């Protein structure tokens, strides 16, 4: 077996993970462009909160609730500063979080199963 074939065999799980992440992100972006994805009330609140963060308000919780932190809104705020304020832009953070969750799932599952292919399967 040549060194190239061995190297490809070692990197195959990472290539497969990249393909899984690309498909998941692509499907989410596609769905976001369809009429099915209309803006819901809670999503409108996230947009308002992100705009308020840009104006100097720094909430700890979502809306007027005393639970569910405002992390997503802090991630959305810089996007609203750079890109137009649209439902699509607000949801881009959710798409990025899905990609990060897939990678985190891969890392944890790889450690638990002691198999990189087990990590890909979990992701």
């Amino acid at each position: 077996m040549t060194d190239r074939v061995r190297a490809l065999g070692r990197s195959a799980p990472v290539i497969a993970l990249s393909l899984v992440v690309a498909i998941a992100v692509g499907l989410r972006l596609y769905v976001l462009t369809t009429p099915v994805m209309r803006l819901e009330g809670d999503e409108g609140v996230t947009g308002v909160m992100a705009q308020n963060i840009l104006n100097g308000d720094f909430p700890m919780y979502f809306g007027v609730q005393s639970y569910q932190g405002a992390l997503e809104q802090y991630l959305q705020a810089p996007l609203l500063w750079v890109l137009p304020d649209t439902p699509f832009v607000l949801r881009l953070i959710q798409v990025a979080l899905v990609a990060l969750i897939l990678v985190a799932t891969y890392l944890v599952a790889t450690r638990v199963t002691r198999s990189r292919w087990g990590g890909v399967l979990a992701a």
Side-chain angles (χ1 to χ4, degrees):
M1 215 188 251
T2 66
D3 289 336
R4 276 188 146 166
V5 173
R6 273 188 237 134
L8 181 60
R10 284 191 302 267
S11 64
V14 175
I15 293 169
L17 174 66
S18 301
L19 186 62
V20 167
V21 171
I23 290 170
V25 167
L27 284 173
R28 282 198 166 251
L29 289 173
Y30 169 73
V31 169
L32 288 180
T33 62
T34 65
V36 172
M37 294 307 300
R38 57 188 160 86
L39 189 67
E40 299 291 332
D42 284 345
E43 290 176 305
V45 172
T46 65
V48 170
M49 287 179 65
Q51 290 171 343
N52 288 344
I53 289 169
L54 291 174
N55 292 328
D57 183 29
F58 303 110
M60 291 184 63
Y61 298 107
F62 177 79
V64 295
Q65 302 168 349
S66 59
Y67 60 94
Q68 186 180 344
L71 174 63
E72 185 179 328
Q73 291 73 47
Y74 283 99
L75 297 173
Q76 288 171 331
L79 277 184
L80 293 183
W81 184 60
V82 175
L83 300 173
D85 186 5
T86 65
F88 182 81
V89 170
L90 284 174
R91 292 175 177 144
L92 286 178
I93 291 300
Q94 296 167 352
V95 174
L97 289 174
V98 164
L100 288 173
I101 289 168
L102 285 171
V103 172
T105 300
Y106 167 80
L107 293 172
V108 169
T110 297
R111 188 169 183 144
V112 169
T113 64
R114 295 188 176 109
S115 164
R116 292 173 22 161
W117 283 109
V120 171
L121 182 62

